[in-house]
Amino acid sequence: MDWFQLASKKESRMIQMRRYMHQYPEPSFEETWTHNYILNQLSHLDCEIESPVGRNGIKATFKGKENGPTVAFRADFDALPIQELNDVPYKSKNDGFMHACGHDGHTAILLGVAEIVHEHRHLLKGNVVFIFQYGEEIMPGGSQEMIDDGCLKDVDKIYGTHLWSGYPTGTIYSRPGAIMASPDEFSITIKGKGGHGAKPHETIDPIVIMAEFILSAQKIVSRTIDPVKEAVLTFGMVQAGSSDSVIPDSAFCKGTVRTFDTELQAHIQNKMDKLLQGLALANDITYEMEYIRGYLPVHNHNSGYEVVKQAANEMHLRFNESELMMIGEDFSHYLKVRPGAFFLTGCGNRDKGITAPHHNPHFDIDEAAFKYAASEFLKILEIENVF
């Protein structure tokens, strides 16, 4: 079967669906319109539909005639609270929200693959499950809720992709084992004693102590972790005070920790807390730290990775081994329960000016990438003996 030809014939349809969804982005856990749109597209196909799965998810199953394997594919469909700055006909109509991470493309691709499976359902030897997931962008994410509600029941293997503007269109990237990190979040409040800026000796300045903490925390990664191990500690927000001549009572910061294993994760959290304990003892301050452990790291199973690689090579797509990525993805929870793999589909194109990174108001997708992702999914079904 020429899967690339079939995917190419479906290209305009996938682009149409993506552009329509792009105009009506909805934030995580509030995707009512998008949920209903997906349901409407699936209602025309010969599949069993379960909805809602979890809070707002959808599961569509195409059953074959034989007692073959069951392979699942997943797409996410939430958007981000970003004001779009692209001047395109399909620009977001929902003020303050934008599909700035490609989830509209993920969903359009899977809907296109579902239509192709529907058109060739008489050839199915096994079963194909399509999982449309809400709430990927905000922890705790939608994947675990959907798993708890049975979306992986009877599923043997699961695969997913992420469109990636950092890689050129026509490429497929993946790697065995760890590919994406665990994205933890933390927030810290240091409580001192405010007062007049001209009399700092009568205060306990939380800004100076916060600055000391931030500088000292940089040594956790650089001086307490083996250099060959991957870890990131980033402060993304610092807030304190409202006047140039007033020392405030408190200072606040937020940030993220990215790691690939739980021991390193616990080590960094523990070291941060010990630094704060020391500062509290030395400076007579109190503090509050909230540390939220993020999604599990995405770990591809070797068997799933080999299928992704084989599919790309047999489709004559440009396959490359991905670098380790410090981004997070709750697809990791599916791979904790079932074997499979996650891969990246390149969607960047310098000639078309599509180079903006994800979560950026200028982010866009080279829609020519859709047929490559769709054909990769279809070839995976063939290799897994579903077709």
Side-chain angles (χ1 to χ4, degrees):
M1 188 76 73
D2 190 340
W3 299 118
F4 188 76
Q5 182 183 31
L6 291 172
S8 297
K9 288 181 179 179
K10 195 66 67 173
E11 182 176 43
S12 61
R13 168 70 173 147
M14 291 186 286
I15 292 172
Q16 175 196 35
M17 290 188 287
R18 179 259 168 165
R19 292 188 176 188
Y20 193 62
M21 284 185 285
H22 189 87
Q23 295 177 74
Y24 304 100
E26 297 174 298
S28 304
F29 302 102
E30 299 178 28
E31 314 93 330
T32 303
W33 179 92
T34 313
H35 173 270
N36 292 337
Y37 176 80
I38 297 168
L39 274 182
N40 184 54
Q41 304 311 305
L42 292 171
S43 67
H44 304 293
L45 308 180
D46 187 14
C47 60
E48 296 180 2
I49 300 173
E50 299 175 48
S51 174
V53 181
R55 200 175 315 189
N56 198 29
I58 301 167
K59 177 181 179 180
T61 304
F62 291 83
K63 292 193 173 181
K65 295 180 180 178
E66 300 180 24
N67 188 27
T70 298
V71 171
F73 297 143
R74 171 270 206 170
D76 39 16
F77 57 80
D78 53 330
L80 287 157
I82 294 174
Q83 184 69 43
E84 181 164 16
L85 297 182
N86 291 319
D87 185 16
V88 292
Y90 48 90
K91 184 176 181 178
S92 170
K93 294 181 179 180
N94 291 349
D95 193 50
F97 295 99
M98 176 191 176
H99 273 292
C101 199
H103 296 188
D104 51 341
H106 302 165
T107 301
I109 290 165
L110 240 59
L111 286 171
V113 173
E115 291 184 3
I116 294 171
V117 170
H118 165 78
E119 291 159 6
H120 297 82
R121 60 192 181 281
H122 60 287
L123 299 176
L124 283 175
K125 302 174 186 176
N127 309 306
V128 190
V129 172
F130 292 88
I131 296 170
F132 295 92
Q133 182 203 311
Y134 58 94
E136 187 277 332
E137 293 288 358
I138 297 179
M139 290 189 285
S143 64
Q144 191 60 56
E145 292 180 352
M146 291 191 69
I147 291 167
D148 292 342
D149 204 16
C151 75
L152 292 181
K153 182 181 178 182
D154 300 324
V155 168
D156 297 307
K157 295 183 77 171
I158 184 166
Y159 295 89
T161 193
H162 202 304
L163 292 163
W164 199 251
S165 64
Y167 293 143
T169 298
T171 58
I172 301 292
Y173 281 75
S174 191
R175 63 182 292 126
I179 182 171
M180 294 179 178
S182 179
D184 298 353
E185 299 174 359
F186 64 83
S187 60
I188 296 165
T189 300
I190 289 177
K191 299 178 180 180
K193 179 184 176 183
H196 200 292
K199 296 185 176 183
H201 60 288
E202 295 179 358
T203 73
I204 301 175
D205 192 337
I207 295 178
V208 173
I209 299 166
M210 178 65 80
E212 186 177 351
F213 169 71
I214 291 172
L215 288 173
S216 297
Q218 302 307 307
K219 294 184 289 186
I220 295 174
V221 172
S222 66
R223 289 297 178 269
T224 73
I225 293 175
D226 188 334
V228 301
K229 295 183 178 180
E230 300 86 3
V232 168
L233 170 56
T234 296
F235 291 86
M237 177 193 294
V238 181
Q239 294 178 338
S242 58
S243 172
D244 61 346
S245 61
V246 177
I247 293 173
D249 286 318
S250 64
F252 176 79
C253 74
K254 291 183 73 173
T256 183
V257 173
R258 307 292 171 117
T259 56
F260 288 96
D261 68 72
T262 54
E263 287 187 9
L264 224 56
Q265 187 182 46
H267 171 81
I268 294 174
Q269 181 180 355
N270 183 52
K271 283 291 186 181
M272 291 173 68
D273 194 48
K274 283 188 175 181
L275 274 177
L276 289 165
Q277 289 177 31
L279 288 168
L281 184 64
N283 297 280
D284 295 322
I285 55 103
T286 59
Y287 71 91
E288 295 175 357
M289 180 171 77
E290 182 181 19
Y291 192 102
I292 302 173
R293 295 201 175 189
Y295 306 144
L296 299 170
V298 179
H299 278 265
N300 284 334
H301 296 253
N302 287 339
S303 61
Y305 164 78
E306 291 296 337
V307 168
V308 168
K309 181 179 180 180
Q310 180 184 344
N313 288 334
E314 290 186 8
M315 294 296 297
H316 304 293
L317 306 178
R318 287 175 287 163
F319 180 83
N320 300 275
E321 185 164 303
S322 171
E323 59 188 356
L324 279 171
M325 309 183 81
M326 286 296 180
I327 61 172
E329 238 288 354
D330 74 347
F331 189 82
S332 57
H333 297 146
Y334 298 109
L335 293 177
K336 189 74 173 178
V337 181
R338 294 288 188 273
F342 198 61
F343 62 93
L344 298 159
T345 300
C347 69
N349 191 320
R350 292 190 176 278
D351 293 337
K352 296 180 180 179
I354 300 174
T355 58
H358 294 246
H359 294 214
N360 182 285
H362 292 286
F363 175 81
D364 206 350
I365 296 168
D366 180 7
E367 295 163 326
F370 294 176
K371 59 181 175 288
Y372 296 104
S375 60
E376 175 78 6
F377 279 127
L378 291 162
K379 189 65 177 181
I380 286 171
L381 291 178
E382 180 183 298
I383 294 171
E384 292 285 8
N385 203 36
V386 177
F387 266 124

Coordinates of all heavy atoms in Angstrom, one line a residue, residues 207-273:
I207 N 14.6 40.9 49.6 CA 15.1 41.0 48.2 C 16.6 40.5 48.2 O 17.0 39.7 47.3 CB 15.0 42.4 47.7 CG1 13.5 42.8 47.5 CG2 15.7 42.5 46.3 CD1 13.3 44.2 47.0
V208 N 17.4 41.0 49.1 CA 18.8 40.6 49.2 C 18.9 39.1 49.5 O 19.7 38.4 48.9 CB 19.5 41.4 50.3 CG1 20.9 40.9 50.5 CG2 19.6 42.9 49.9
I209 N 18.1 38.6 50.3 CA 18.1 37.2 50.7 C 17.6 36.3 49.5 O 18.2 35.3 49.2 CB 17.3 36.9 52.0 CG1 17.8 37.7 53.1 CG2 17.2 35.4 52.3 CD1 16.9 37.8 54.3
M210 N 16.6 36.8 48.8 CA 16.2 36.1 47.6 C 17.3 36.1 46.6 O 17.5 35.0 45.9 CB 14.9 36.7 47.0 CG 14.4 36.1 45.8 SD 13.8 34.4 46.0 CE 12.2 34.7 46.7
A211 N 18.0 37.2 46.4 CA 19.1 37.3 45.4 C 20.2 36.3 45.8 O 20.7 35.6 44.9 CB 19.6 38.7 45.3
E212 N 20.5 36.2 47.1 CA 21.5 35.2 47.6 C 21.0 33.8 47.3 O 21.8 33.0 46.9 CB 21.7 35.5 49.1 CG 22.8 34.6 49.7 CD 23.1 34.9 51.1 OE1 22.5 35.9 51.7 OE2 23.8 34.1 51.8
F213 N 19.7 33.5 47.5 CA 19.2 32.2 47.2 C 19.3 31.8 45.8 O 19.8 30.7 45.4 CB 17.8 32.1 47.7 CG 17.1 30.8 47.2 CD1 17.5 29.6 47.7 CD2 16.2 30.8 46.2 CE1 16.9 28.4 47.3 CE2 15.5 29.7 45.8 CZ 15.9 28.5 46.3
I214 N 18.9 32.8 44.9 CA 19.0 32.5 43.5 C 20.4 32.2 43.0 O 20.6 31.3 42.2 CB 18.3 33.6 42.7 CG1 16.8 33.7 43.0 CG2 18.6 33.5 41.2 CD1 16.1 34.9 42.4
L215 N 21.3 33.0 43.4 CA 22.7 32.8 43.0 C 23.3 31.5 43.6 O 24.0 30.7 42.9 CB 23.6 34.0 43.5 CG 23.4 35.3 42.8 CD1 24.2 36.4 43.5 CD2 23.8 35.2 41.3
S216 N 23.0 31.2 44.8 CA 23.5 29.9 45.4 C 22.8 28.7 44.8 O 23.5 27.7 44.6 CB 23.1 29.9 46.9 OG 23.8 31.0 47.6
A217 N 21.6 28.8 44.4 CA 20.9 27.7 43.7 C 21.5 27.3 42.4 O 21.4 26.2 42.0 CB 19.4 28.0 43.5
Q218 N 22.2 28.3 41.8 CA 22.8 27.9 40.5 C 23.9 26.9 40.7 O 24.3 26.1 39.7 CB 23.4 29.2 39.8 CG 22.4 30.3 39.6 CD 21.2 29.8 38.8 OE1 21.4 29.3 37.7 NE2 20.0 30.1 39.3
K219 N 24.5 26.8 41.9 CA 25.5 25.8 42.1 C 25.0 24.4 42.3 O 25.8 23.5 42.3 CB 26.4 26.3 43.3 CG 27.1 27.6 43.1 CD 28.0 27.9 44.3 CE 27.2 28.3 45.5 NZ 28.0 28.8 46.6
I220 N 23.7 24.3 42.5 CA 23.1 22.9 42.7 C 23.4 22.1 41.5 O 23.9 20.9 41.6 CB 21.6 23.0 43.0 CG1 21.3 23.7 44.3 CG2 21.0 21.6 43.0 CD1 19.9 23.9 44.6
V221 N 23.2 22.6 40.3 CA 23.4 21.8 39.1 C 24.9 21.8 38.7 O 25.5 20.8 38.4 CB 22.6 22.4 37.9 CG1 23.0 21.8 36.6 CG2 21.1 22.3 38.1
S222 N 25.6 23.0 38.8 CA 27.0 23.1 38.4 C 28.0 22.4 39.3 O 29.1 22.0 38.9 CB 27.4 24.5 38.1 OG 27.4 25.2 39.4
R223 N 27.6 22.3 40.6 CA 28.6 21.8 41.6 C 28.2 20.6 42.4 O 28.9 20.1 43.2 CB 29.0 23.0 42.5 CG 29.9 24.0 41.8 CD 31.2 23.4 41.3 NE 32.0 24.4 40.6 CZ 32.0 24.6 39.3 NH1 31.1 23.9 38.5 NH2 32.8 25.4 38.7
T224 N 26.9 20.1 42.3 CA 26.5 19.0 43.1 C 26.0 17.8 42.2 O 25.6 16.8 42.8 CB 25.4 19.4 44.1 OG1 24.2 19.6 43.5 CG2 25.8 20.6 44.9
I225 N 26.0 18.0 40.9 CA 25.5 17.0 40.0 C 26.6 16.6 39.0 O 27.3 17.4 38.5 CB 24.2 17.5 39.3 CG1 23.1 17.6 40.3 CG2 23.8 16.5 38.2 CD1 21.8 18.2 39.7
D226 N 26.7 15.3 38.8 CA 27.7 14.8 37.8 C 27.5 15.5 36.5 O 26.4 15.5 35.9 CB 27.4 13.3 37.6 CG 28.5 12.6 36.8 OD1 29.1 13.3 35.9 OD2 28.7 11.4 36.9
P227 N 28.5 16.1 35.9 CA 28.4 16.9 34.6 C 27.8 16.1 33.5 O 27.3 16.7 32.5 CB 29.8 17.3 34.4 CG 30.5 17.3 35.7 CD 29.9 16.2 36.4
V228 N 28.0 14.7 33.5 CA 27.4 13.9 32.4 C 25.9 13.7 32.5 O 25.3 13.1 31.6 CB 28.2 12.6 32.2 CG1 29.7 12.8 32.0 CG2 27.9 11.7 33.4
K229 N 25.4 14.1 33.6 CA 23.9 13.9 33.8 C 23.2 15.3 33.4 O 23.8 16.3 33.6 CB 23.6 13.5 35.2 CG 24.1 12.1 35.6 CD 23.7 11.7 36.9 CE 24.2 10.3 37.3 NZ 23.8 9.8 38.6
E230 N 22.0 15.1 32.9 CA 21.3 16.3 32.4 C 20.3 16.8 33.5 O 19.5 16.1 34.0 CB 20.5 16.0 31.2 CG 21.3 15.5 30.0 CD 21.6 14.0 30.0 OE1 21.1 13.3 30.9 OE2 22.4 13.5 29.2
A231 N 20.4 18.2 33.8 CA 19.5 18.8 34.7 C 19.5 20.3 34.4 O 20.5 20.9 34.0 CB 19.9 18.5 36.1
V232 N 18.3 20.9 34.6 CA 18.2 22.3 34.4 C 17.4 22.9 35.6 O 16.4 22.3 36.0 CB 17.4 22.7 33.1 CG1 17.0 24.1 33.1 CG2 18.3 22.3 31.9
L233 N 17.9 24.0 36.1 CA 17.2 24.8 37.2 C 17.1 26.2 36.7 O 18.1 26.9 36.5 CB 18.0 24.7 38.5 CG 17.5 25.6 39.6 CD1 16.1 25.4 40.0 CD2 18.4 25.4 40.9
T234 N 15.9 26.7 36.5 CA 15.7 28.0 35.9 C 14.7 28.8 36.7 O 13.6 28.3 37.1 CB 15.1 27.9 34.4 OG1 16.1 27.3 33.6 CG2 14.8 29.3 33.9
F235 N 15.0 30.1 37.0 CA 14.1 31.0 37.7 C 13.5 31.9 36.6 O 14.2 32.6 35.8 CB 14.9 31.9 38.7 CG 15.3 31.1 39.9 CD1 16.6 30.5 39.8 CD2 14.6 31.0 41.0 CE1 17.0 29.8 41.0 CE2 15.0 30.3 42.1 CZ 16.3 29.7 42.1
G236 N 12.1 31.8 36.5 CA 11.5 32.5 35.4 C 10.7 33.7 35.9 O 10.2 34.5 35.1
M237 N 10.5 33.9 37.2 CA 9.8 35.0 37.8 C 10.3 35.4 39.1 O 10.5 34.5 40.0 CB 8.3 34.7 37.9 CG 7.4 35.8 38.5 SD 5.8 35.3 39.0 CE 5.1 34.9 37.4
V238 N 10.6 36.7 39.3 CA 10.9 37.2 40.6 C 10.1 38.5 40.9 O 10.1 39.4 40.0 CB 12.5 37.6 40.7 CG1 12.8 38.1 42.1 CG2 13.3 36.3 40.4
Q239 N 9.5 38.6 42.0 CA 8.6 39.7 42.3 C 8.9 40.2 43.7 O 8.9 39.3 44.6 CB 7.1 39.4 42.1 CG 6.7 39.1 40.7 CD 5.3 38.7 40.6 OE1 4.7 38.3 41.6 NE2 4.7 38.9 39.4
A240 N 9.0 41.5 43.9 CA 9.1 42.0 45.3 C 9.0 43.6 45.2 O 9.5 44.2 44.3 CB 10.5 41.7 45.9
G241 N 8.3 44.1 46.2 CA 8.2 45.5 46.4 C 7.3 46.3 45.4 O 6.9 45.7 44.3
S242 N 7.1 47.6 45.7 CA 6.3 48.4 44.8 C 6.8 49.9 44.9 O 6.1 50.7 44.3 CB 4.8 48.3 45.3 OG 4.7 48.8 46.6
S243 N 7.9 50.1 45.5 CA 8.4 51.5 45.6 C 9.9 51.5 45.7 O 10.5 50.5 46.2 CB 7.8 52.2 46.9 OG 8.4 53.4 47.1
D244 N 10.5 52.6 45.2 CA 12.0 52.6 45.2 C 12.5 52.9 46.6 O 13.7 52.6 46.8 CB 12.4 53.7 44.2 CG 12.0 55.1 44.6 OD1 11.0 55.2 45.4 OD2 12.5 56.1 44.1
S245 N 11.7 53.3 47.5 CA 12.3 53.7 48.8 C 11.7 52.9 50.0 O 11.9 53.2 51.1 CB 12.0 55.2 49.1 OG 10.6 55.4 49.1
V246 N 11.1 51.8 49.6 CA 10.5 50.9 50.6 C 11.0 49.5 50.5 O 10.9 48.9 49.4 CB 8.9 50.9 50.6 CG1 8.4 49.9 51.6 CG2 8.4 52.3 50.7
I247 N 11.6 49.0 51.6 CA 12.0 47.6 51.6 C 10.7 46.7 51.9 O 10.1 47.0 53.0 CB 13.1 47.3 52.6 CG1 14.4 48.0 52.2 CG2 13.3 45.8 52.8 CD1 15.5 48.0 53.2
P248 N 10.3 45.8 51.1 CA 9.1 45.1 51.3 C 9.2 44.0 52.4 O 10.3 43.7 52.8 CB 8.8 44.4 49.9 CG 10.2 44.2 49.4 CD 11.0 45.4 49.8
D249 N 8.1 43.5 52.8 CA 8.1 42.4 53.8 C 8.4 41.1 53.2 O 8.9 40.2 53.9 CB 6.7 42.3 54.4 CG 6.4 43.4 55.4 OD1 7.3 43.8 56.1 OD2 5.3 44.0 55.3
S250 N 8.2 40.9 51.9 CA 8.4 39.6 51.3 C 8.9 39.7 49.9 O 8.7 40.7 49.2 CB 7.1 38.7 51.4 OG 6.1 39.3 50.6
A251 N 9.5 38.6 49.4 CA 9.9 38.4 48.0 C 9.4 37.1 47.5 O 9.3 36.1 48.2 CB 11.4 38.6 47.8
F252 N 9.1 37.0 46.2 CA 8.5 35.8 45.6 C 9.2 35.4 44.3 O 9.6 36.3 43.6 CB 7.0 36.1 45.3 CG 6.3 35.0 44.6 CD1 5.9 33.9 45.3 CD2 6.1 35.0 43.3 CE1 5.2 32.8 44.7 CE2 5.4 34.0 42.6 CZ 5.0 32.9 43.3
C253 N 9.4 34.2 44.1 CA 10.0 33.7 42.8 C 9.3 32.4 42.4 O 8.7 31.7 43.2 CB 11.5 33.5 42.9 SG 12.0 32.0 43.9
K254 N 9.4 32.2 41.1 CA 8.9 30.9 40.5 C 9.9 30.4 39.5 O 10.6 31.2 38.9 CB 7.5 31.1 39.8 CG 6.3 31.4 40.7 CD 5.1 31.6 39.9 CE 4.6 30.2 39.4 NZ 3.2 30.3 38.7
G255 N 9.9 29.1 39.3 CA 10.8 28.6 38.3 C 10.5 27.1 37.9 O 9.4 26.6 38.3
T256 N 11.4 26.5 37.2 CA 11.2 25.1 36.8 C 12.5 24.3 36.9 O 13.6 24.9 36.8 CB 10.8 25.1 35.3 OG1 10.5 23.8 34.9 CG2 11.8 25.7 34.4
V257 N 12.3 23.1 37.2 CA 13.4 22.1 37.2 C 13.2 21.0 36.2 O 12.0 20.5 36.1 CB 13.6 21.4 38.6 CG1 14.6 20.3 38.6 CG2 13.9 22.5 39.7
R258 N 14.2 20.7 35.4 CA 14.0 19.6 34.4 C 15.1 18.6 34.6 O 16.3 18.8 34.6 CB 14.2 20.3 33.0 CG 13.3 21.5 32.7 CD 11.8 21.1 32.6 NE 11.0 22.2 32.5 CZ 10.2 22.5 31.5 NH1 10.2 21.7 30.4 NH2 9.4 23.6 31.5
T259 N 14.6 17.3 34.7 CA 15.5 16.2 34.9 C 14.9 15.0 34.2 O 13.8 15.0 33.7 CB 15.6 15.8 36.4 OG1 14.3 15.6 36.9 CG2 16.3 16.9 37.2
F260 N 15.7 13.9 34.1 CA 15.3 12.7 33.4 C 15.2 11.5 34.4 O 14.8 10.4 33.9 CB 16.3 12.3 32.3 CG 16.2 13.2 31.1 CD1 17.1 14.3 31.0 CD2 15.3 13.0 30.1 CE1 17.0 15.2 29.9 CE2 15.2 13.9 29.0 CZ 16.0 14.9 28.9
D261 N 15.5 11.7 35.6 CA 15.4 10.6 36.6 C 14.9 11.1 38.0 O 15.2 12.2 38.3 CB 16.6 9.7 36.7 CG 17.8 10.4 37.3 OD1 17.8 10.6 38.5 OD2 18.8 10.8 36.6
T262 N 14.3 10.3 38.7 CA 13.7 10.7 40.0 C 14.7 11.0 41.1 O 14.5 11.8 41.9 CB 12.7 9.6 40.5 OG1 13.4 8.3 40.6 CG2 11.5 9.4 39.5
E263 N 15.9 10.3 41.0 CA 16.9 10.6 42.0 C 17.4 12.0 41.9 O 17.6 12.7 42.9 CB 18.0 9.5 41.9 CG 17.7 8.1 42.4 CD 18.9 7.2 42.4 OE1 20.0 7.7 42.2 OE2 18.7 6.0 42.6
L264 N 17.7 12.4 40.7 CA 18.2 13.8 40.4 C 17.1 14.8 40.8 O 17.4 15.8 41.4 CB 18.5 13.9 38.9 CG 19.8 14.6 38.6 CD1 21.0 14.0 39.3 CD2 20.0 14.6 37.1
Q265 N 15.9 14.4 40.5 CA 14.7 15.3 40.8 C 14.6 15.5 42.3 O 14.5 16.7 42.8 CB 13.5 14.6 40.3 CG 12.2 15.4 40.4 CD 11.0 14.5 39.9 OE1 10.9 13.4 40.2 NE2 10.1 15.1 39.1
A266 N 14.7 14.5 43.1 CA 14.7 14.6 44.5 C 15.9 15.3 45.1 O 15.8 16.1 46.1 CB 14.6 13.2 45.1
H267 N 17.0 15.1 44.5 CA 18.3 15.8 44.9 C 18.2 17.3 44.8 O 18.5 18.0 45.8 CB 19.5 15.2 44.1 CG 20.7 16.0 44.3 ND1 21.6 15.8 45.4 CD2 21.3 17.0 43.6 CE1 22.6 16.6 45.3 NE2 22.5 17.4 44.2
I268 N 17.7 17.8 43.7 CA 17.6 19.2 43.5 C 16.5 19.8 44.4 O 16.8 20.9 45.0 CB 17.2 19.5 42.0 CG1 18.3 19.1 41.1 CG2 16.9 21.0 41.8 CD1 18.0 19.2 39.6
Q269 N 15.4 19.1 44.6 CA 14.4 19.6 45.5 C 14.9 19.7 46.9 O 14.7 20.7 47.6 CB 13.2 18.7 45.5 CG 12.0 19.2 46.4 CD 10.8 18.3 46.3 OE1 10.8 17.3 45.5 NE2 9.8 18.5 47.1
N270 N 15.7 18.7 47.4 CA 16.2 18.7 48.7 C 17.3 19.8 48.9 O 17.3 20.4 50.0 CB 16.8 17.3 49.0 CG 17.4 17.1 50.4 OD1 16.7 17.4 51.3 ND2 18.6 16.7 50.5
K271 N 18.1 20.0 47.9 CA 19.2 21.0 48.0 C 18.6 22.4 48.1 O 19.1 23.3 48.8 CB 20.1 20.9 46.8 CG 21.1 19.7 46.9 CD 22.1 20.0 48.0 CE 23.2 18.9 48.0 NZ 24.2 19.1 49.1
M272 N 17.5 22.6 47.3 CA 16.8 23.9 47.4 C 16.3 24.2 48.8 O 16.4 25.3 49.3 CB 15.7 24.0 46.3 CG 16.2 24.0 44.9 SD 14.8 23.9 43.7 CE 14.0 25.5 44.0
D273 N 15.7 23.2 49.3 CA 15.1 23.3 50.7 C 16.2 23.6 51.7 O 16.0 24.4 52.6 CB 14.3 22.1 51.0 CG 13.4 22.3 52.2 OD1 12.7 23.4 52.3 OD2 13.4 21.5 53.1

